Every structure is written in structure tokens, then in C-alpha cells.
Amino acid sequence: MCYIVDDIDIPVLCYGLRTDFKGELFSGSHYLLAWADKLVELKTICYCGRKASRVLRYDGQGRVMSDGAQIDIGGNEKYVSVCRKHYNEAIREVKAAEYRS
Ligand SMILES: [Zn+2]
């Protein structure tokens, strides 16, 4: 895309998610963030009112998932945007439950 912009002189707009439900960069996002001329962040709000910067993934029984394949197509039934604080609290609860069982 950089070649299209620089050599052919065609503007390119890209959209993507920054991180997955584990807080890891998507590989495509890595290069978009590294090479983009301009970044515009579309903000979402956590239920507590803070900026939602993380995404929780839920399984079919409504439990937060801390592991799994990076890509799993789904909508509001599977993904919830939350702030870092509530993401970390939810993941700690999952890890504690896994440790107890
Ligand atoms: Zn929150």
C-alpha cells in the first residue's frame, strides 16, 4: 500500500482492529500502525465510562475466554469492548478460576 501511495500517487485508506481479545496486535495492524502516514482512532466507551481499549471474547456459555485462536468471527454476542482495568479484572477472574479447577 505504501508503494501505491508513493509511486502511483493514489491515496489509500485502511481500517482495522489494533489488538485481539488477548491484547496482541494483529499482524496486519502491526504494519498499519508502523507505516501509516496518519492514524485516526475510533473510540469506544467501556460500560464504566472510560475509553475502551481492549476487547473481551465470550464463549457460547457467556464466559470470558483468555485463550483460543486469534481470529473468530463474531459480533456483539461474542465481543465486548472494555477499558484496560475491566479487561484485566475479567482476565484475572478467568485465570483464577482455571487455577482453582
Ligand atoms: Zn471499564
Side-chain angles (χ1 to χ4, degrees):
M1 289 184 278
C2 290
Y3 296 122
I4 292 171
V5 171
D6 296 337
D7 298 345
I8 307 174
D9 204 26
I10 296 175
V12 174
L13 301 176
C14 301
Y15 298 88
L17 299 171
R18 183 173 50 185
T19 58
D20 64 16
F21 72 108
K22 298 178 207 171
E24 300 293 331
L25 283 173
F26 287 104
S27 59
S29 300
H30 170 99
Y31 291 106
L32 284 175
L33 293 168
W35 296 344
D37 291 323
K38 179 179 179 184
L39 296 171
V40 177
E41 182 180 26
L42 302 179
K43 294 182 178 74
T44 303
I45 303 298
C46 177
Y47 61 86
C48 71
R50 290 186 179 99
K51 174 185 165 187
S53 59
R54 304 291 174 92
V55 176
L56 292 171
R57 181 194 286 175
Y58 289 85
D59 66 13
Q61 285 73 47
R63 294 178 300 226
V64 171
M65 297 176 65
S66 64
D67 203 9
Q70 183 179 48
I71 296 174
D72 188 10
I73 304 297
N76 293 338
E77 80 289 353
K78 189 173 285 186
Y79 294 99
V80 175
S81 297
V82 294
C83 69
R84 184 179 54 230
K85 174 184 175 182
H86 286 119
Y87 176 87
N88 288 332
E89 286 178 0
I91 294 300
R92 275 196 299 268
E93 286 180 27
V94 168
K95 300 278 186 191
E98 291 171 356
Y99 181 75
R100 288 191 297 268
S101 61

PDB file of all heavy atoms in Angstrom, residues 1 5 9 11 16 18-19 26 30 44-46 59 62 64 74 97 100:
ATOM      1  N   MET A   1       0.819  -1.192   0.000  1.00  0.00           N
ATOM      2  CA  MET A   1       0.000   0.000   0.000  1.00  0.00           C
ATOM      3  C   MET A   1       0.862   1.255   0.000  1.00  0.00           C
ATOM      4  O   MET A   1       0.481   2.248  -0.600  1.00  0.00           O
ATOM      5  CB  MET A   1      -0.947  -0.024   1.196  1.00  0.00           C
ATOM      6  CG  MET A   1      -2.048  -1.078   1.042  1.00  0.00           C
ATOM      7  SD  MET A   1      -3.246  -1.072   2.361  1.00  0.00           S
ATOM      8  CE  MET A   1      -2.353  -2.036   3.564  1.00  0.00           C
ATOM      9  N   VAL A   5       0.699   4.444  -2.645  1.00  0.00           N
ATOM     10  CA  VAL A   5       0.650   5.858  -2.234  1.00  0.00           C
ATOM     11  C   VAL A   5       1.836   6.623  -2.812  1.00  0.00           C
ATOM     12  O   VAL A   5       1.669   7.685  -3.422  1.00  0.00           O
ATOM     13  CB  VAL A   5       0.652   5.976  -0.693  1.00  0.00           C
ATOM     14  CG1 VAL A   5       0.822   7.420  -0.241  1.00  0.00           C
ATOM     15  CG2 VAL A   5      -0.626   5.383  -0.117  1.00  0.00           C
ATOM     16  N   ASP A   9       0.835   7.393  -6.554  1.00  0.00           N
ATOM     17  CA  ASP A   9       0.202   8.619  -6.065  1.00  0.00           C
ATOM     18  C   ASP A   9      -1.311   8.490  -5.907  1.00  0.00           C
ATOM     19  O   ASP A   9      -2.069   9.377  -6.274  1.00  0.00           O
ATOM     20  CB  ASP A   9       0.553   9.801  -6.984  1.00  0.00           C
ATOM     21  CG  ASP A   9       0.452  11.127  -6.256  1.00  0.00           C
ATOM     22  OD1 ASP A   9       0.595  11.148  -5.021  1.00  0.00           O
ATOM     23  OD2 ASP A   9       0.203  12.143  -6.936  1.00  0.00           O
ATOM     24  N   PRO A  11      -4.149   7.849  -2.995  1.00  0.00           N
ATOM     25  CA  PRO A  11      -4.350   7.759  -1.547  1.00  0.00           C
ATOM     26  C   PRO A  11      -5.008   6.434  -1.167  1.00  0.00           C
ATOM     27  O   PRO A  11      -5.860   5.930  -1.882  1.00  0.00           O
ATOM     28  CB  PRO A  11      -5.263   8.940  -1.212  1.00  0.00           C
ATOM     29  CG  PRO A  11      -5.750   9.470  -2.496  1.00  0.00           C
ATOM     30  CD  PRO A  11      -4.962   8.889  -3.609  1.00  0.00           C
ATOM     31  N   GLY A  16      -8.856  -1.103  10.508  1.00  0.00           N
ATOM     32  CA  GLY A  16      -8.592  -2.387  11.126  1.00  0.00           C
ATOM     33  C   GLY A  16      -8.659  -2.312  12.632  1.00  0.00           C
ATOM     34  O   GLY A  16      -8.697  -1.232  13.224  1.00  0.00           O
ATOM     35  N   ARG A  18      -6.867  -2.940  16.169  1.00  0.00           N
ATOM     36  CA  ARG A  18      -5.484  -2.889  16.624  1.00  0.00           C
ATOM     37  C   ARG A  18      -5.073  -4.201  17.289  1.00  0.00           C
ATOM     38  O   ARG A  18      -4.040  -4.766  16.975  1.00  0.00           O
ATOM     39  CB  ARG A  18      -5.289  -1.713  17.579  1.00  0.00           C
ATOM     40  CG  ARG A  18      -3.855  -1.569  18.039  1.00  0.00           C
ATOM     41  CD  ARG A  18      -3.633  -0.320  18.834  1.00  0.00           C
ATOM     42  NE  ARG A  18      -4.621  -0.184  19.900  1.00  0.00           N
ATOM     43  CZ  ARG A  18      -4.718   0.873  20.693  1.00  0.00           C
ATOM     44  NH1 ARG A  18      -3.909   1.874  20.543  1.00  0.00           N
ATOM     45  NH2 ARG A  18      -5.623   0.917  21.637  1.00  0.00           N
ATOM     46  N   THR A  19      -5.873  -4.646  18.238  1.00  0.00           N
ATOM     47  CA  THR A  19      -5.481  -5.826  19.006  1.00  0.00           C
ATOM     48  C   THR A  19      -6.603  -6.856  19.067  1.00  0.00           C
ATOM     49  O   THR A  19      -7.776  -6.530  18.886  1.00  0.00           O
ATOM     50  CB  THR A  19      -5.088  -5.445  20.441  1.00  0.00           C
ATOM     51  OG1 THR A  19      -6.191  -4.786  21.063  1.00  0.00           O
ATOM     52  CG2 THR A  19      -3.859  -4.555  20.463  1.00  0.00           C
ATOM     53  N   PHE A  26      -2.778  -7.621  15.807  1.00  0.00           N
ATOM     54  CA  PHE A  26      -2.948  -8.421  14.599  1.00  0.00           C
ATOM     55  C   PHE A  26      -1.748  -8.121  13.708  1.00  0.00           C
ATOM     56  O   PHE A  26      -1.238  -6.993  13.711  1.00  0.00           O
ATOM     57  CB  PHE A  26      -4.237  -8.033  13.874  1.00  0.00           C
ATOM     58  CG  PHE A  26      -5.481  -8.499  14.556  1.00  0.00           C
ATOM     59  CD1 PHE A  26      -6.276  -7.619  15.272  1.00  0.00           C
ATOM     60  CD2 PHE A  26      -5.875  -9.834  14.490  1.00  0.00           C
ATOM     61  CE1 PHE A  26      -7.427  -8.043  15.909  1.00  0.00           C
ATOM     62  CE2 PHE A  26      -7.032 -10.272  15.126  1.00  0.00           C
ATOM     63  CZ  PHE A  26      -7.798  -9.376  15.830  1.00  0.00           C
ATOM     64  N   HIS A  30      -0.002  -4.428  12.875  1.00  0.00           N
ATOM     65  CA  HIS A  30       1.386  -4.089  13.180  1.00  0.00           C
ATOM     66  C   HIS A  30       1.942  -3.148  12.106  1.00  0.00           C
ATOM     67  O   HIS A  30       2.486  -2.087  12.406  1.00  0.00           O
ATOM     68  CB  HIS A  30       2.212  -5.382  13.259  1.00  0.00           C
ATOM     69  CG  HIS A  30       3.681  -5.174  13.340  1.00  0.00           C
ATOM     70  ND1 HIS A  30       4.373  -5.213  14.528  1.00  0.00           N
ATOM     71  CD2 HIS A  30       4.602  -4.916  12.385  1.00  0.00           C
ATOM     72  CE1 HIS A  30       5.638  -4.994  14.298  1.00  0.00           C
ATOM     73  NE2 HIS A  30       5.808  -4.819  12.993  1.00  0.00           N
ATOM     74  N   THR A  44     -14.308   3.881  21.499  1.00  0.00           N
ATOM     75  CA  THR A  44     -15.484   3.223  22.060  1.00  0.00           C
ATOM     76  C   THR A  44     -15.393   3.387  23.571  1.00  0.00           C
ATOM     77  O   THR A  44     -14.307   3.535  24.120  1.00  0.00           O
ATOM     78  CB  THR A  44     -15.475   1.724  21.691  1.00  0.00           C
ATOM     79  OG1 THR A  44     -15.417   1.614  20.278  1.00  0.00           O
ATOM     80  CG2 THR A  44     -16.710   1.022  22.196  1.00  0.00           C
ATOM     81  N   ILE A  45     -16.523   3.348  24.236  1.00  0.00           N
ATOM     82  CA  ILE A  45     -16.573   3.567  25.679  1.00  0.00           C
ATOM     83  C   ILE A  45     -16.926   2.265  26.393  1.00  0.00           C
ATOM     84  O   ILE A  45     -17.848   1.551  26.000  1.00  0.00           O
ATOM     85  CB  ILE A  45     -17.627   4.654  26.024  1.00  0.00           C
ATOM     86  CG1 ILE A  45     -17.315   5.955  25.289  1.00  0.00           C
ATOM     87  CG2 ILE A  45     -17.698   4.883  27.530  1.00  0.00           C
ATOM     88  CD1 ILE A  45     -15.990   6.576  25.641  1.00  0.00           C
ATOM     89  N   CYS A  46     -16.198   1.988  27.460  1.00  0.00           N
ATOM     90  CA  CYS A  46     -16.477   0.853  28.342  1.00  0.00           C
ATOM     91  C   CYS A  46     -17.767   1.138  29.120  1.00  0.00           C
ATOM     92  O   CYS A  46     -18.173   2.296  29.262  1.00  0.00           O
ATOM     93  CB  CYS A  46     -15.307   0.674  29.312  1.00  0.00           C
ATOM     94  SG  CYS A  46     -15.516  -0.644  30.528  1.00  0.00           S
ATOM     95  N   ASP A  59     -17.398 -17.067  25.298  1.00  0.00           N
ATOM     96  CA  ASP A  59     -17.735 -18.338  24.654  1.00  0.00           C
ATOM     97  C   ASP A  59     -19.259 -18.464  24.568  1.00  0.00           C
ATOM     98  O   ASP A  59     -19.991 -17.548  24.953  1.00  0.00           O
ATOM     99  CB  ASP A  59     -17.099 -19.514  25.403  1.00  0.00           C
ATOM    100  CG  ASP A  59     -17.645 -19.707  26.802  1.00  0.00           C
ATOM    101  OD1 ASP A  59     -18.681 -19.097  27.142  1.00  0.00           O
ATOM    102  OD2 ASP A  59     -17.031 -20.475  27.561  1.00  0.00           O
ATOM    103  N   GLY A  62     -21.321 -17.661  27.730  1.00  0.00           N
ATOM    104  CA  GLY A  62     -21.211 -16.355  28.353  1.00  0.00           C
ATOM    105  C   GLY A  62     -20.000 -16.185  29.246  1.00  0.00           C
ATOM    106  O   GLY A  62     -19.951 -15.250  30.039  1.00  0.00           O
ATOM    107  N   VAL A  64     -15.945 -15.439  29.836  1.00  0.00           N
ATOM    108  CA  VAL A  64     -14.823 -14.742  29.204  1.00  0.00           C
ATOM    109  C   VAL A  64     -13.763 -15.763  28.821  1.00  0.00           C
ATOM    110  O   VAL A  64     -13.451 -16.677  29.591  1.00  0.00           O
ATOM    111  CB  VAL A  64     -14.228 -13.689  30.169  1.00  0.00           C
ATOM    112  CG1 VAL A  64     -12.935 -13.115  29.612  1.00  0.00           C
ATOM    113  CG2 VAL A  64     -15.237 -12.588  30.434  1.00  0.00           C
ATOM    114  N   GLY A  74     -17.288 -12.924  14.817  1.00  0.00           N
ATOM    115  CA  GLY A  74     -18.460 -12.812  15.678  1.00  0.00           C
ATOM    116  C   GLY A  74     -18.839 -11.360  15.879  1.00  0.00           C
ATOM    117  O   GLY A  74     -18.120 -10.460  15.448  1.00  0.00           O
ATOM    118  N   ALA A  97     -10.066 -18.802  38.194  1.00  0.00           N
ATOM    119  CA  ALA A  97     -10.993 -19.941  38.101  1.00  0.00           C
ATOM    120  C   ALA A  97     -10.288 -21.150  37.478  1.00  0.00           C
ATOM    121  O   ALA A  97     -10.486 -22.285  37.919  1.00  0.00           O
ATOM    122  CB  ALA A  97     -12.219 -19.547  37.282  1.00  0.00           C
ATOM    123  N   ARG A 100      -8.038 -22.719  40.120  1.00  0.00           N
ATOM    124  CA  ARG A 100      -8.762 -23.467  41.156  1.00  0.00           C
ATOM    125  C   ARG A 100      -9.249 -24.815  40.650  1.00  0.00           C
ATOM    126  O   ARG A 100      -9.409 -25.743  41.426  1.00  0.00           O
ATOM    127  CB  ARG A 100      -9.954 -22.651  41.664  1.00  0.00           C
ATOM    128  CG  ARG A 100      -9.566 -21.454  42.528  1.00  0.00           C
ATOM    129  CD  ARG A 100     -10.776 -20.846  43.222  1.00  0.00           C
ATOM    130  NE  ARG A 100     -11.754 -20.318  42.287  1.00  0.00           N
ATOM    131  CZ  ARG A 100     -11.801 -19.065  41.848  1.00  0.00           C
ATOM    132  NH1 ARG A 100     -10.908 -18.194  42.280  1.00  0.00           N
ATOM    133  NH2 ARG A 100     -12.723 -18.665  41.007  1.00  0.00           N
TER     134      ARG A 100
END
